Amino acid sequence: MNHIRNFCIIAHIDHGKSTLADRMLEYTNTIKVTEGQMLDDMDLEKERGITIKSHAIQMEYEYEGEKYVLNLIDTPGHVDFSYEVSRSIAACEGALLVVDATQGVQAQTISNLYMAIEHDLEIIPVVNKCDMPNAMPEEVTDEIVDLIGCKAEEVILASARTGQGVEEILKAVVERIPHPKGDENAPLQALIFDSVFNSFRGIIAYFKIVNGVMHPGEKVRFINTKKEYQAEEIGVLKMDMIPRKELRTGDVGYIVSGIKNAVEVKVGDTITTVANPATAAIEGFQEVKPMVFAGVYPIEPEDYENLRTSLEKLQLNDASLTFQHESSAALGFGFRCGFLGLLHMEIVQERLDREFNMDVITTVPNVSYMIYDKHGEAMEVHNPSGMPDPTLIEHVEEPYINATIITTANYIGPIMTLCLGKRGELVRQDFITGNRVEIQFLMPLGEIVIDFYDKLKSISRGYASFDYHPAGFRPSKLVKLDILLNGESVDALSTLTHVDNSVTLGRRMCERLKELLPRQQFDIAIQAAIGGKIIARETVKQVRKDVLAKCYGGDVSRKRKLLEKQKRGKKRMKQIGNVQVPQKAFLAVLKLDGD
């Protein structure tokens, strides 16, 4: 146990975590790095150049003649995947804090750092990309010293691209990070921090042993779900799974026990043995709290059960995804899914398509609101169609967030304008170092859901970083905006919006739908309504056949007769015809704020 070190890498997005992990794997001869980001094994991760899943891998490192086992967990940096980071931190004793020498400390770095400090992790600061021509290692070192109160000589200067500083980092991991603490003779307690689905072997759970020893063939119990299984195979995680005859306290490994049902494995659960059970579960990490909700529906109604199975398998691999059944008049049966943010929602949609071959329609994303009726009763609403009649509502409360934006001083003006335009309230503004500023806003979550992050990046030319935390609910003037097609409400397009934004949003939604709806044999009236009041309207003109083409002159009554006949046909068609909303129209409405 004295020769085991468990650590993770925390940093802002694009600060070089995965490249640094590659260099460490190469240095310890764990693997031969053939292409960049070996731990990012998902196609999506390679395409986008971001880490979506945290990845655990074991390295062996010789230091002063003794062999050490280093368990590394590479974590994502984007704000939407902070739950992955929190689970990795729960399985470690130390963390490498990686900061880009060209950009300095960013908002997400601070957020993940505080999470690590709360878990009493030993922090090793690393300044990466020191070989870049525009690197500022001295300034960034000063920022880190101010942030965590360490000495300047404790900060390691490195470059993941050239391999500079990798040896110092590995030495620091052995010297500074404490070994795991636990009792090998106590009953087994192992914390599950991740799980994956394998179509041949069932569900494979990843865990860290806090107390006790585990052997293959033992009967084990999952404390929270109270299910018992045979440990068919246990082992450690390298690039592949390596079976072992035993795992001891402090080890990070995997267990294969033939579990077929996704609901039976909960991330944060504790594994113990049936023969000598532990009395209590380990204090796990907090339950995930989704921030953004959207309906996910199969395009073909008969795919409903397949979609449920796909979501369950995906939830194993992504514990921050939550879902429950719901039905819609326009789209049939589907699921109301909770996501941590818009990028998370986009990634889930992509993974459903690539990994499970599921074609889905996703409705307009929204947040949860608290509705108080005239009797003083409160109800939580995730979906505009769940809103009670406006006459019964006393008031509505919407969720607010504390947003932290770190940027350079020359972008303060545009960022202030953007946040105030999204109903934000300035809380405070601090200069960190040089011309870098930390701005804090209190903002409604519903306003940042759609495209706030993209706009922030574009107005600050990528220099601003953004992080947020929930700040409770506050009363607000919200109205339900309905979209009607030929008088029929399309519940998948209805949204809850602030009364000041409703007319503009309604008008823009109608204009966008007019461009995207295919023309029919009859006129389509697109209307935006609040309650019974129509606030905007557009018309998609009908496609008409030229019935007069065959008339070469002759009496006008003959032409009129043909037109009247066509008119009656159109009227009959309008009564029985229904308007199909294509998927691209739903997606375009999501991106409304982007123009």
Side-chain angles (χ1 to χ4, degrees):
M1 199 161 68
N2 295 346
H3 289 78
I4 296 175
R5 300 289 183 271
N6 298 322
F7 68 102
C8 59
I9 303 180
I10 55 176
H12 190 74
I13 190 167
D14 271 351
H15 278 203
K17 299 175 293 299
S18 301
T19 314
L20 187 63
D22 282 355
R23 291 292 85 73
M24 289 159 77
L25 295 173
E26 213 168 39
Y27 190 87
T28 55
N29 297 320
T30 306
I31 52 166
K32 195 169 182 349
V33 176
T34 50
E35 54 180 319
Q37 280 79 35
M38 294 295 284
L39 293 181
D40 290 353
D41 51 8
M42 227 185 283
D43 289 342
L44 260 178
E45 293 181 313
K46 289 191 167 81
E47 280 169 30
R48 289 171 176 250
I50 57 173
T51 304
I52 294 167
K53 279 289 303 160
S54 52
H55 298 266
I57 191 161
Q58 189 178 91
M59 302 180 274
E60 285 167 8
Y61 175 60
E62 197 166 307
Y63 177 64
E64 294 183 352
E66 294 190 43
K67 276 200 170 163
Y68 288 87
V69 171
L70 311 181
N71 291 310
L72 159 69
I73 303 177
D74 178 27
T75 60
H78 195 282
V79 62
D80 281 12
F81 304 111
S82 52
Y83 189 60
E84 289 283 329
V85 183
S86 77
R87 294 178 5 223
S88 310
I89 285 172
C92 295
E93 282 81 37
L96 294 182
L97 174 71
V98 177
V99 180
D100 187 330
T102 62
Q103 292 185 1
V105 173
Q106 304 279 301
Q108 192 60 33
T109 319
I110 296 174
S111 174
N112 290 343
L113 173 68
Y114 288 160
M115 217 187 293
I117 291 171
E118 274 172 38
H119 283 78
D120 290 334
L121 264 60
E122 181 63 39
I123 309 292
I124 299 175
V126 177
V127 176
N128 192 20
K129 303 192 186 179
C130 287
D131 60 322
M132 300 286 275
N134 57 339
M136 313 171 288
E138 292 84 12
E139 288 175 37
V140 176
T141 302
D142 291 344
E143 282 183 31
I144 294 173
V145 169
D146 286 346
L147 185 64
I148 60 176
C150 64
K151 295 189 178 77
E153 52 270 20
E154 289 176 17
V155 179
I156 300 169
L157 301 181
S159 165
R161 196 172 55 170
T162 61
Q164 172 199 337
V166 172
E167 191 179 349
E168 287 87 14
I169 293 170
L170 291 167
K171 280 182 185 167
V173 166
V174 172
E175 289 170 2
R176 296 194 216 167
I177 293 176
H179 61 76
K181 294 175 179 62
D183 183 359
E184 290 195 347
N185 302 318
L188 175 70
Q189 283 180 307
L191 175 71
I192 300 176
F193 65 86
D194 206 352
S195 56
V196 290
F197 180 80
N198 182 307
S199 43
F200 300 107
R201 312 182 77 181
I203 291 152
I204 300 168
Y206 298 163
F207 59 81
K208 174 199 172 186
I209 299 183
V210 177
N211 290 310
V213 180
M214 187 187 282
H215 298 96
E218 279 184 318
K219 207 148 194 240
V220 294
R221 177 185 297 148
F222 288 40
I223 291 182
N224 287 339
T225 54
K226 299 185 172 54
K227 301 277 186 186
E228 295 182 1
Y229 308 98
Q230 196 80 19
E232 293 167 14
E233 180 183 307
I234 62 170
V236 296
L237 297 153
K238 296 217 171 173
M239 268 326 263
D240 297 310
M241 298 179 185
I242 314 288
R244 289 276 190 267
K245 290 286 177 237
E246 76 169 4
L247 290 176
R248 311 184 75 81
T249 302
D251 280 331
V252 172
Y254 70 91
I255 178 169
V256 179
S257 48
I259 306 168
K260 295 287 185 284
N261 189 350
V263 187
E264 293 176 22
V265 176
K266 287 263 186 290
V267 169
D269 201 349
T270 304
I271 307 174
T272 188
T273 52
V274 173
N276 183 14
T279 49
I282 304 162
E283 288 285 311
F285 20 86
Q286 303 157 331
E287 271 293 298
V288 61
K289 190 159 174 38
M291 306 293 267
V292 176
F293 296 87
V296 174
Y297 295 86
I299 288 179
E300 301 297 333
E302 56 269 24
D303 284 343
Y304 171 73
E305 279 305 322
N306 293 347
L307 179 59
R308 180 204 294 279
T309 316
S310 305
L311 282 168
E312 280 176 358
K313 287 176 183 172
L314 193 55
Q315 194 179 34
L316 274 176
N317 200 241
D318 180 358
S320 50
L321 171 68
T322 59
F323 64 91
Q324 62 193 59
H325 166 80
E326 81 165 0
S327 60
S328 148
L331 300 169
F333 291 114
F335 296 92
R336 189 95 196 136
C337 296
F339 307 97
L340 294 183
L342 228 67
L343 176 68
H344 185 210
M345 174 174 139
E346 210 178 304
I347 295 293
V348 167
Q349 235 175 314
E350 283 265 342
R351 289 183 71 183
L352 281 172
D353 180 31
R354 292 183 185 209
E355 295 173 30
F356 304 100
N357 217 6
M358 291 299 310
D359 284 333
V360 295
I361 289 177
T362 311
T363 63
V364 180
N366 51 40
V367 296
S368 56
Y369 297 94
M370 294 301 288
I371 313 284
Y372 291 85
D373 62 19
K374 298 275 170 74
H375 306 295
E377 305 240 331
M379 63 183 282
E380 194 170 351
V381 172
H382 303 308
N383 189 345
S385 61
M387 281 273 283
D389 190 276
T391 55
L392 303 174
I393 298 173
E394 178 64 39
H395 72 279
V396 181
E397 291 188 357
E398 65 175 329
Y400 269 69
I401 54 160
N402 280 321
T404 306
I405 297 167
I406 294 182
T407 181
T408 49
N410 31 339
Y411 299 115
I412 294 177
I415 288 172
M416 290 273 194
T417 311
L418 173 68
C419 294
L420 295 172
K422 298 276 189 186
R423 296 191 285 131
E425 295 170 22
L426 181 64
V427 178
R428 58 177 239 256
Q429 179 180 331
D430 299 320
F431 276 83
I432 312 172
T433 52
N435 72 337
R436 287 164 58 73
V437 188
E438 180 182 329
I439 313 171
Q440 283 200 352
F441 274 95
L442 192 63
M443 297 175 75
L445 179 61
E447 292 282 347
I448 68 152
V449 158
I450 304 252
D451 70 334
F452 176 80
Y453 193 68
D454 296 343
K455 278 191 170 175
L456 180 69
K457 282 288 176 201
S458 62
I459 62 174
S460 67
R461 298 187 188 168
Y463 278 107
S465 61
F466 173 67
D467 186 33
Y468 61 85
H469 296 286
F473 285 79
R474 294 177 65 178
S476 185
K477 284 186 179 174
L478 294 167
V479 287
K480 182 185 172 192
L481 181 69
D482 286 311
I483 299 294
L484 312 175
L485 297 180
N486 280 350
E488 293 287 319
S489 172
V490 183
D491 57 352
L493 288 174
S494 58
T495 54
L496 287 172
T497 180
H498 194 267
V499 71
D500 296 347
N501 304 340
S502 57
V503 176
T504 326
L505 182 64
R507 195 170 292 140
R508 289 168 71 189
M509 283 174 92
C510 290
E511 286 167 3
R512 182 54 69 89
L513 283 168
K514 183 185 177 182
E515 293 166 18
L516 293 161
L517 287 181
R519 289 171 70 189
Q520 306 283 348
Q521 298 277 336
F522 50 87
D523 279 356
I524 304 171
I526 307 166
Q527 295 167 310
I530 296 173
K533 184 183 175 190
I534 305 294
I535 57 168
R537 171 179 170 135
E538 293 287 340
T539 308
V540 178
K541 284 292 177 196
Q542 60 192 347
V543 179
R544 291 186 57 179
K545 180 183 171 188
D546 188 1
V547 290
L548 303 181
K550 60 188 178 200
C551 299
Y552 295 101
D555 189 33
V556 74
S557 60
R558 190 161 164 243
K559 294 182 182 176
R560 196 171 292 130
K561 187 175 157 191
L562 285 168
L563 289 169
E564 284 298 324
K565 187 180 175 189
Q566 184 187 37
K567 194 174 170 184
R568 285 197 302 276
K570 296 277 185 198
K571 192 175 178 183
R572 196 164 59 247
M573 218 182 277
K574 187 169 183 174
Q575 286 167 351
I576 59 167
N578 63 346
V579 183
Q580 291 293 327
V581 182
Q583 168 70 356
K584 67 176 180 187
F586 284 108
L587 294 175
V589 172
L590 299 193
K591 307 237 169 10
L592 261 183
D593 276 11
D595 352 319

